[in-house]
């Protein structure tokens, strides 16, 4: 066969297409691929040798066993994860993804496996006082929440708050605090936000209570939580496993597994193990 | 000191994982460079010997890929690549479903960018070949392939190698951008390690070290190849 | 083709244009000055070694690692956090600009070195024989010839720096790419947003390439087959 332009082009494209086939994709005995960040303690973290461990790793192992499915857990950057799910790169995302209206437009969710809200973290000697500690503010009723939000905005006016990109906390900050004179900075990676708080570049950060607790375990001498516990509204209602839109089968299988785990106390035990508190809902 | 131990190969040490990530960087770079070579040759071919339409397309391709930031191209392939691969795959007769891994997205994106640069190098190298030698070859009755193998390629290689060496160095550095897709190559691994241990300076320095090792070794290899390619050329004193 | 979405997207992305232009032009200016300095350093043996090492490190490592090293790596040291540099290094803008300047300086110094080497010794000698002082030789012989030689390579570097500014989006700066990344997580319409951003960068790079081509033709008309500009 002559080495013409078109044969070379075809060969090159074929090679590219072949190399592009990532994982196993057979109809029977399908192995589901789940994506996680592996850098969001204590939900999912990585060890030096690359193994992923954490609350969600154990949760997924147990749920998959009960649902009778084979699965692979891969680590991806959070930045493009939901977009990746929308594009069909994987079958599910398990990364403390909170169920929100905005996300429900593009993906489906299993039953939630944690509740728990979000709050702020500040450095102890930075002198930032945010009113409303130990109070729970439900954002579903915006008028009722307005007083708390205004107080928080007043305390943070002119200050810089850091948050991870594409999170419910980022949505909250953009919607309620940015218009009131608070500077918001978004980071691609979660750990980097805490790093900049420690470096003094940020006056406060906002994240899930469970995530902040994990951070405070290592840095409790220098940092502490501040402000009210926010939930509901733009903060959604609990974290669940995200699946592709229309994949009711997987959502139901996982939901049923999670329900049985909640009923026999496995879910609560896992929560106590990793969060030292029970943040699981009664399913 | 505890910090240097983090780089070691023990159970708490990130050394092994960093080494593996370094190999992944090499793998992605080699794959991307070869993609770029194949495509770059085609584009250079189109620009030299094609008709007006082909030449215009090739030039548009080069201008576009050299004018758009690499990180955007990588994102485009990572987010949009699946549709492209699906279209190409069905056109070539493969059955679905299709998926595009971070490796493939990175390889194709960097390959496409590199092809634009490589086509310029190859074009310049071809034009540097003395036309007289090509004519002489044709007069002697050489076929197209023999002409290429014995006349064009050796002479073009002399001009092309330094440029290709530069392209290779660019590919290695662009491979760091593939980290945004989550592929575990050096940059991403170093970021994860730095974030987990909070030893940012140490791990970024280690990452820089890995890249310097790769680029220095590559530099030496290319220089060796350049010296060999000059063998037998008039006026270089390395004659056969 | 959702024209309203695309039009709105362009408007949002163009808000990042001032920051992109700012970083681009300042990094070229700063890098150029530092490159001149590096080349001057090469006159002495120690200076040559230092400049050589600098160029080796900054050309042999990816810009992304350099940015992260300056932004996160330096902040890890208490010494830095309590020094007078901290008000600058605290801000992602200055860290990003510093990384871009240092990176550009390495490449530009090599381009300048190539340009200076291309100046024929004979012309410099002729200048000295004619009684020109060192500054005069530099101004009337060396630099004009070196710049003409280096211009094609430098125009590539200008475009490279434009593309490099996109990387500062990784340290939370809202340039064109930063706004694009934020928009993707808002609307999930990645391909359209990225294409919009790509078009803006492409337009900028075409303008610059045309300008540099015009400059090349004006400075060296003989390369293009004419005797006068």
């Amino acid at each position: 066969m002559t080495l013409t332009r078109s044969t070379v082009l075809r060969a090159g494209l074929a090679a590219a297409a072949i190399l592009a086939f990532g994982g196993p994709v057979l109809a029977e005995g399908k192995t589901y691929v789940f994506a996680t960040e592996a850098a969001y303690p204590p939900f999912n973290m990585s060890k030096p040798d690359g193994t992923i461990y954490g609350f969600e790793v154990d949760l997924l192992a147990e749920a998959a066993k009960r649902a009778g499915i084979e699965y692979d857990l891969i680590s991806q950057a959070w930045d493009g994860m939901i977009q990746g799910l929308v594009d069909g790169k994987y079958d599910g995302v398990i990364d403390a993804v909170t169920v929100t209206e905005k996300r429900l437009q593009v993906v489906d969710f299993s039953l939630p496996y944690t509740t728990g809200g979000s709050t702020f973290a500040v450095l102890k000697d930075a002198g930032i006082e945010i009113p409303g500690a130990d109070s729970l503010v439900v954002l579903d009723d915006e008028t009722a929440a307005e007083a708390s939000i205004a107080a928080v905005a007043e305390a943070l006016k002119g200050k810089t708050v850091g948050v991870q990109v594409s999170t419910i906390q980022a949505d909250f900050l953009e919607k309620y605090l940015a218009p009131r004179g608070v500077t918001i900075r978004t980071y691609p990676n979660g750990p980097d936000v805490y790093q900049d708080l420690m470096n003094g570049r940020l006056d406060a950060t906002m994240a899930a209570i469970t995530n902040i607790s994990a951070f405070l375990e290592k840095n409790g001498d220098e940092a502490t939580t501040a402000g009210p516990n926010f939930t509901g509204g733009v903060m959604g209602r609990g974290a669940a496993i995200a699946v592709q839109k229309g994949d009711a089968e997987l959502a139901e299988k996982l939901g049923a597994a999670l329900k049985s785990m909640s009923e026999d106390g496995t879910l609560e035990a896992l929560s106590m193990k990793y969060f030292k508190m029970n943040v699981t809902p009664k399913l | 000191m505890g910090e240097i131990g983090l780089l070691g190969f023990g159970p708490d040490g990130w050394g092994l994982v960093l080494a593996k990530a370094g190999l992944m960087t090499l793998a992605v770079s080699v794959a991307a460079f070869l993609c770029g070579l194949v495509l770059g040759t085609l584009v250079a071919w189109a620009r030299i010997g094609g008709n007006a339409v082909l030449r215009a397309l090739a030039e548009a391709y080069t201008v576009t890929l050299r004018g758009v930031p690499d990180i955007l191209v990588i994102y485009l392939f990572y987010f949009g690549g699946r549709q492209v691969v699906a279209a190409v795959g069905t056109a070539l007769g493969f059955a679905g479903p299709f998926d595009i891994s971070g490796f493939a997205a990175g390889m194709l994106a960097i390959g496409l960018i590199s092809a634009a640069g490589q086509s310029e190098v190859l074009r310049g190298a071809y034009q540097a070949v003395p036309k007289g030698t090509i004519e002489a070859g044709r007069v002697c009755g050489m076929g197209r392939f023999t002409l290429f193998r014995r006349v064009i390629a050796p002479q073009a290689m002399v001009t092309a190698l330094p440029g290709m060496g530069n392209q290779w160095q660019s590919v290695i550095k662009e491979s760091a951008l593939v980290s945004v897709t989550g592929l575990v190559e050096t940059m991403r691994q170093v970021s994860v390690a730095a974030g987990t241990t909070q030893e940012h300076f140490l791990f970024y320095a280690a990452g820089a070290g890995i890249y310097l090792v790769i680029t220095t070794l590559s530099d030496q290899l290319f220089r060796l190849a350049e010296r060999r390619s000059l063998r037998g050329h008039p006026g270089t004193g390395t004659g056969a | 083709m959702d024209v309203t979405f695309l039009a709105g997207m362009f408007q949002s992305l163009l808000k990042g244009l001032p920051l992109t232009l700012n970083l681009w032009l300042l990094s070229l200016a700063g890098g150029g000055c530092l490159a001149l300095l590096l080349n001057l350093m090469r006159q002495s043996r120690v200076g040559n070694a230092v400049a050589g090492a600098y160029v080796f490190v900054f050309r042999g490592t990816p810009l992304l690692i350099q940015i992260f090293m300056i932004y996160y790596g330096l902040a890890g040291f208490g010494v830095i956090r309590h020094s007078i540099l901290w008000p600058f290094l605290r801000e992602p803008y200055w860290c990003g600009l510093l990384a871009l300047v240092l990176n550009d300086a390495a490449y530009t110094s090599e381009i300048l070195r190539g340009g200076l080497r291309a100046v024929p010794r004979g012309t410099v000698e002729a200048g000295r024989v004619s009684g020109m002082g060192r500054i005069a030789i530099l101004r009337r012989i060396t630099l004009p010839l070196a710049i003409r030689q280096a211009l094609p390579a430098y125009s590539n570097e200008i475009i490279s720096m434009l593309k490099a500014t996109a990387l500062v989006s990784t340290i939370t700066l809202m340039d064109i790419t930063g706004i694009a990344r934020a928009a993707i997580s808002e609307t999930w319409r990645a391909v359209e947003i990225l294409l919009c951003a790509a078009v803006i960068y492409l337009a900028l790079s075409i303008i610059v390439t045309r300008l540099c081509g015009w400059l090349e033709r004006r400075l060296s008309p003989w390369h293009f087959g004419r005797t006068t500009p």
Side-chain angles (χ1 to χ4, degrees), chain C residues 58-72:
Chain C
F58 277 93
R59 282 200 337 168
T61 52
L63 176 59
L64 199 57
I65 259 197
Q66 293 162 15
I67 291 178
F68 276 29
M69 174 71 98
I70 291 179
Y71 187 68
Y72 290 112

Side-chain angles (χ1 to χ4, degrees), chain B residues 170-231:
Chain B
S170 296
V171 164
I172 297 176
K173 285 177 279 181
E174 278 155 24
S175 75
L177 296 178
V178 186
S179 61
V180 303
T181 67
L183 179 72
V184 181
E185 42 69 64
T186 307
M187 186 74 216
R188 174 125 190 100
Q189 190 57 260
V190 155
S191 272
V192 166
T196 314
T197 61
Q198 297 190 320
E199 293 284 344
H200 290 257
F201 190 82
L202 178 70
F203 281 102
Y204 288 127
I210 294 179
Y211 282 108
L212 282 174
V213 165
I214 298 179
T215 50
T216 312
L217 285 175
S218 308
D219 196 38
Q220 300 292 60
L221 270 167
F222 267 94
R223 275 192 217 216
L224 209 68
E226 276 170 49
R227 270 203 296 271
R228 279 204 59 169
S229 74
L230 282 173
R231 256 190 354 199

Side-chain angles (χ1 to χ4, degrees), chain A residues 20-21 48 76 87 89 195, chain B residues 17 54 78-79 82 98-99 200:
Chain A
F21 295 151
Q76 295 278 288
D87 288 339
K89 284 186 199 299
Q195 187 66 39
Chain B
V17 156
L54 270 176
Y78 184 59
F79 288 130
R82 195 179 132 268
F98 303 96
D99 193 7
H200 290 257

Side-chain angles (χ1 to χ4, degrees), chain A residues 31 71 105 135 148 159 192 229:
Chain A
T31 303
Y71 73 99
Q105 286 171 9
S135 68
S148 306
K159 307 243 186 297
D192 294 339
N229 188 356

Side-chain angles (χ1 to χ4, degrees), chain B residues 70-93:
Chain B
D70 312 332
I71 199 172
L72 284 182
V73 179
I74 291 179
Y75 269 139
L76 266 167
F77 262 89
Y78 184 59
F79 288 130
R82 195 179 132 268
Q83 285 118 311
V84 172
V85 171
V88 165
T90 33
L92 286 176

Side-chain angles (χ1 to χ4, degrees), chain A residues 70-167:
Chain A
E70 294 282 317
Y71 73 99
D72 259 337
L73 186 60
I74 60 172
S75 89
Q76 295 278 288
W78 164 248
D79 209 359
M81 222 186 272
I82 297 201
Q83 179 76 52
L85 184 64
V86 169
D87 288 339
K89 284 186 199 299
Y90 11 84
D91 302 294
V93 169
I94 179 164
D95 190 10
V97 189
T98 312
V99 182
T100 65
E101 284 307 321
K102 190 175 99 174
R103 288 173 180 161
L104 277 168
Q105 286 171 9
V106 291
V107 296
D108 282 339
F109 285 95
S110 70
L111 288 175
Y113 50 82
T114 65
T115 54
S118 314
T119 188
F120 294 89
V122 296
L123 285 181
K124 279 185 182 161
D125 12 318
I128 314 261
E129 294 283 333
I130 309 183
D134 295 332
S135 68
L136 178 67
V137 178
V138 182
L139 295 163
D140 291 318
D141 186 353
E142 282 192 343
T143 32
E146 176 55 34
S148 306
I149 297 177
V152 170
E154 194 49 46
L156 288 172
K157 198 155 173 190
K159 307 243 186 297
T160 309
V161 181
V163 69
Q164 192 180 10
V165 73
S166 303
T167 52

